[in-house]
Structure formats: structure tokens, C-alpha cells
Amino acid sequence: MKLRTLLFAMIFIPGLILGQDMSVTKLFMDETPLEIKLSIAIKDVKAITSDTVYTPYIMQYKIGDVWDSIKVEVRARGEFRRRECYYPPLRVKIKKGAAKGTIFEGNKSLKLVMPCKQVKDNMLIMKEYICYQMYEPITKYTFNTRLVNLEFTDLNSKKVTGVKFQGFFIEDDDIVAERHKGKVVEDLKLHPKALQDSNSVRHDIFQYMVANTDWSTTFLHNAKLIQLDESKKYIPLAYDFDMSGFVNAPYATVNETLGISSVTDRLYRGF
């Protein structure tokens, strides 16, 4: 019972606090899972390896008792999950005109995280979602997330009916940077001393806490950097926790050069 209470607090209390922040878009002001339907040709989407090529589709979403639809463009994300998973995580782009007046207004780009292979992977999705929620009390430099109840149809499949499972949206890093009056920086290979020290330590210790070694702020692997306009300091943003020991996904692997044999082995990779 105590564990359930703790998990409830981890998931819902940070969201209630965020709901009072007007810098958060409408989509992420509500912690209630959003009902959506998406039909895409998985094989075709996964075959496109360019980060700039998107495929147009229609996504349905439910507000109250009413279903509506919006034009979106999608592409597959992540080399490993694109190769190993049936359902790859998706990058979802929404044009400003299409999003205007909808719950998606203010979001031009979203990440949609889905189970890797089977519906029973839902628990893994919830564990990864909880990682994002646990990080929120530690630092204000985080990605907002929103659970979705998704009815997914693969247009490459002979099955007519969709498969139902849970996933979650992650806001775009540009919105995080804008919220903190900064900008996203790319293609940098920074020495750890170039990062803002206290936020860097919070980031690194959290990664250690959830037993995650699949990241690098130097080479920007599963990490984004924002530079604050006033101080010019670099702040790390953590994401993609599916390889962590906390999630402990059956497909998770570790880099053998790190000297650990399992994702549940903790190794501090901070400076």
C-alpha cells in the first residue's frame, strides 16, 4: 500500500504543480492519459533512415466524449529501437496551423514513446515514464511528459483492428529551452567542467540512482544541452531511460567497456 502511495505521489503531484505554470503548453497541463488513435505503416516508416524525412498521417484524439483529428507527420527515432523493436519510438511533427485551437497548440514536435514489442511491455513504459516524473523534483530542467492510451493500427499488417496499449508524449527540447530563456545547442563536445556544476551533478547522480549508463553529455548521447541566455551556462537535459536498471527491459544491454555485466549494476559516469 505504501508503494502505491509513493508511486501515486511520484506520478501525479509534480504534474499538479506544473499545471500552474503558464509556460507549459496545454497538452502537458493535464496528467490524465490522453486517448489517441494512430494508424501508420510501421515497416515503411522504419525503412526511412533520414532524420529530415517525415511521412504524413492522421492522428485522432479524444477530448471529453468527442473524437477529433489532426494532421501529423512522423518518423522513427533511435537506431537501437528501430532495429530491435516492432514499435519504434516516433517523432511527431504538427504544423502550427493544424495545432492552432487544439490541445496540441504550441507543440510543433513531440516524441511518442511506445512499448518495444508486445502489449505486455506496458509495465516497462510505465517505469520509463516514472523516471521522468522522479526527475522533476530534483531539477527544473526536465522534459514534460503526458501519458496516452493509444489504439495503434499497423497499415502493413493484415489485421483490421488496432492494438491498444499505453505510451507517452515527451515535449520538444526547444520548448524546454524557451521556458528557461535559453537555446538548444548541437554538435558540441564539451568538457564536463563546461557544464553548470550543480545541475550537472543532479543529472549525473539521478542517472546513477536509476542505474542508467546509456548516456553521455560530452557526446550528446541520450542527452541534450541548453545554453541559458543570461549566464551562458550549459545545462544537461536527460531523456531515454529504457536502458536503465530501474526499467530493466529484457532487450536492454550494457557497453562491455564499462566493466559491468548487467543494466541493474550501478556505475557512476559523472565527472
Side-chain angles (χ1 to χ4, degrees):
M1 191 66 181
K2 290 182 179 180
L3 177 59
R4 289 183 181 180
T5 303
L6 177 61
L7 291 177
F8 180 89
M10 286 178 178
I11 294 175
F12 291 105
I13 291 178
L16 294 174
I17 296 172
L18 280 175
Q20 302 169 3
D21 186 350
M22 295 308 294
S23 64
V24 178
T25 61
K26 187 176 181 180
L27 176 64
F28 296 103
M29 286 185 176
D30 191 349
E31 288 289 331
T32 305
L34 180 66
E35 304 282 338
I36 64 174
K37 295 179 182 180
L38 186 61
S39 300
I40 70 171
I42 292 181
K43 185 178 179 180
D44 297 343
V45 170
K46 290 170 69 173
I48 301 173
T49 57
S50 172
D51 289 346
T52 61
V53 178
Y54 288 75
T55 306
Y57 289 103
I58 299 293
M59 182 171 68
Q60 295 176 277
Y61 62 97
K62 189 178 184 181
I63 302 297
D65 296 325
V66 180
W67 282 94
D68 204 342
S69 62
I70 188 170
K71 293 180 179 179
V72 299
E73 296 177 309
V74 305
R75 70 168 175 85
R77 290 181 52 248
E79 293 182 10
F80 181 87
R81 280 204 247 190
R82 184 201 302 265
R83 183 178 67 250
E84 299 293 331
C85 297
Y86 181 77
Y87 302 105
L90 300 175
R91 171 78 69 174
V92 181
K93 286 180 66 175
I94 307 173
K95 292 184 178 180
K96 186 176 181 180
K100 187 175 181 180
T102 75
I103 193 174
F104 297 99
E105 186 168 0
N107 295 279
K108 294 185 292 185
S109 180
L110 295 164
K111 295 174 185 174
L112 177 58
V113 183
M114 301 183 291
C116 177
K117 295 182 179 180
Q118 302 178 44
V119 177
K120 67 181 181 181
D121 288 343
N122 257 341
M123 182 54 68
L124 303 180
I125 284 292
M126 290 303 299
K127 287 181 179 180
E128 186 173 3
Y129 173 76
I130 287 172
C131 284
Y132 286 91
Q133 297 296 300
M134 288 194 296
Y135 197 36
E136 288 183 0
I138 295 173
T139 176
K140 61 183 179 181
Y141 301 106
T142 63
F143 291 97
N144 288 319
T145 53
R146 174 78 180 269
L147 283 173
V148 297
N149 292 325
L150 174 59
E151 183 176 327
F152 189 91
T153 302
D154 181 6
L155 299 178
N156 290 132
S157 173
K158 296 180 180 179
K159 292 183 179 180
V160 179
T161 58
V163 178
K164 295 181 179 180
F165 50 72
Q166 284 192 301
F168 60 92
F169 280 126
I170 306 174
E171 68 179 340
D172 189 51
D173 44 25
D174 285 330
I175 293 182
V176 182
E178 183 179 344
R179 181 160 60 243
H180 298 291
K181 297 180 174 59
K183 61 182 180 181
V184 178
V185 290
E186 305 279 1
D187 301 324
L188 290 178
K189 291 185 179 180
L190 293 178
H191 189 280
K193 281 189 175 181
L195 299 176
Q196 201 281 333
D197 51 11
S198 59
N199 283 290
S200 178
V201 169
R202 290 189 186 103
H203 170 280
D204 298 351
I205 290 181
F206 178 78
Q207 299 280 22
Y208 177 75
M209 184 181 81
V210 297
N212 190 28
T213 59
D214 187 35
W215 62 274
S216 170
T217 51
T218 300
F219 297 100
L220 298 183
H221 174 59
N222 287 341
K224 290 286 186 178
L225 293 180
I226 59 173
Q227 186 180 32
L228 305 184
D229 291 341
E230 294 182 359
S231 65
K232 302 300 180 183
K233 295 289 187 179
Y234 295 100
I235 307 291
L237 302 175
Y239 66 96
D240 278 5
F241 301 105
D242 65 308
M243 290 289 190
S244 68
F246 182 86
V247 176
N248 197 19
Y251 58 81
T253 59
V254 293
N255 188 331
E256 294 180 355
T257 63
L258 297 178
I260 57 177
S261 58
S262 169
V263 293
T264 56
D265 293 334
R266 283 187 172 85
L267 175 69
Y268 183 69
R269 300 199 66 192
F271 181 66

